[in-house]
Amino acid sequence: MAVESTTKTAQNEVPAWVKPDLTRLLRVERGEEGSFTSRSISLVTLPPNAIFARITNPTPSTCAYSSVQASKTLHIELNCDLVYINHSCRPTLIFDMENWEVRVNPQLEGGLKEGDELTFFYPSSEWDMSQAFDCNCKEKECKGRITGAKDIGNEVLKKYWLNKHIEELLQERGDGKKANGTNGTYGTNQ
């Protein structure tokens, strides 16, 4: 009679993004109540463009500080700890709403490392944010006040991965061309 091994290995473990089991992917560090200083820290190391998590339990919402814009007309609540992924002007992740995935930023040199703060560029999914804020990312490319993609010029947006609905809204705004040329790529690094 064969004896089953009780130790888990990478080959027989279901990836955390499949279940999803976010406790294997991130740790939330909560700030003081009402301070909006909570953040998420990566518990995994992944290469650029790897799937970090799938968005599996969203509910439709109105535009709110905690929602994510999933299309031109749909906002969602994530209903999980992905809500603690903050904005950065140099993001470690992208929220790909067309595929309902959170992936490692394809332009993140060296990929995502265990211990990195998990961030994404909010205007990549948000056209007009319900609650504007002053960015605290302290990156040299910091954009300052974040209000949504509608208030950012194409010269800035073309440096970022953008969701398809943001590209479409830029077209409707009359900027004449898509910021990135094609959805899901960086304009300067295609």
Side-chain angles (χ1 to χ4, degrees):
M1 182 174 202
V3 177
E4 284 187 38
S5 172
T6 58
T7 56
K8 293 181 181 178
T9 66
Q11 282 114 1
N12 67 10
E13 237 181 17
V14 175
W17 54 263
V18 172
K19 284 187 180 179
D21 179 3
L22 295 178
T23 64
R24 292 170 39 198
L25 296 173
L26 63 87
R27 177 183 74 247
V28 175
E29 295 179 351
R30 288 178 169 59
E32 292 183 31
E33 191 170 331
S35 68
F36 298 101
T37 59
S38 297
R39 65 187 196 141
S40 295
I41 303 298
S42 179
L43 299 177
V44 296
T45 296
L46 294 169
N49 212 36
I51 295 174
F52 178 79
R54 295 200 192 277
I55 299 170
T56 59
N57 196 31
T59 53
S61 175
T62 58
C63 182
Y65 77 94
S66 60
S67 69
V68 175
Q69 188 171 352
S71 73
K72 289 198 273 185
T73 59
L74 175 67
H75 284 79
I76 61 164
E77 289 294 340
L78 296 166
N79 301 314
C80 65
D81 283 346
L82 293 175
V83 74
Y84 295 105
I85 297 176
N86 289 326
H87 166 83
S88 176
C89 297
R90 190 176 172 272
T92 56
L93 300 172
I94 61 171
F95 274 55
D96 181 345
M97 300 313 299
E98 190 171 23
N99 294 306
W100 299 92
E101 296 174 344
V102 179
R103 293 196 320 271
V104 177
N105 183 343
Q107 297 298 312
L108 186 61
E109 191 173 317
L112 182 68
K113 304 289 186 237
E114 183 177 349
D116 285 352
E117 182 172 359
L118 300 172
T119 59
F120 81 104
F121 184 65
Y122 285 6
S124 70
S125 68
E126 306 300 318
W127 181 250
D128 187 12
M129 297 185 62
S130 71
Q131 189 170 330
F133 63 94
D134 292 319
C135 181
N136 293 317
C137 74
K138 299 180 178 81
E139 298 291 338
K140 71 177 185 177
E141 54 272 317
C142 183
K143 307 301 173 252
R145 187 115 179 114
I146 304 299
T147 61
K150 73 174 180 61
D151 295 322
I152 300 175
N154 275 358
E155 287 305 308
V156 171
L157 288 175
K158 74 180 182 180
K159 297 174 185 171
Y160 291 93
W161 185 95
L162 301 174
N163 275 284
K164 184 178 179 183
H165 64 274
I166 297 298
E167 292 281 6
E168 290 169 350
L169 288 163
L170 287 168
Q171 283 281 83
E172 289 174 16
R173 178 170 80 178
D175 286 354
K177 60 181 167 76
K178 291 184 176 183
N180 291 345
T182 60
N183 160 273
T185 63
Y186 286 73
T188 57
N189 299 308
Q190 294 184 34

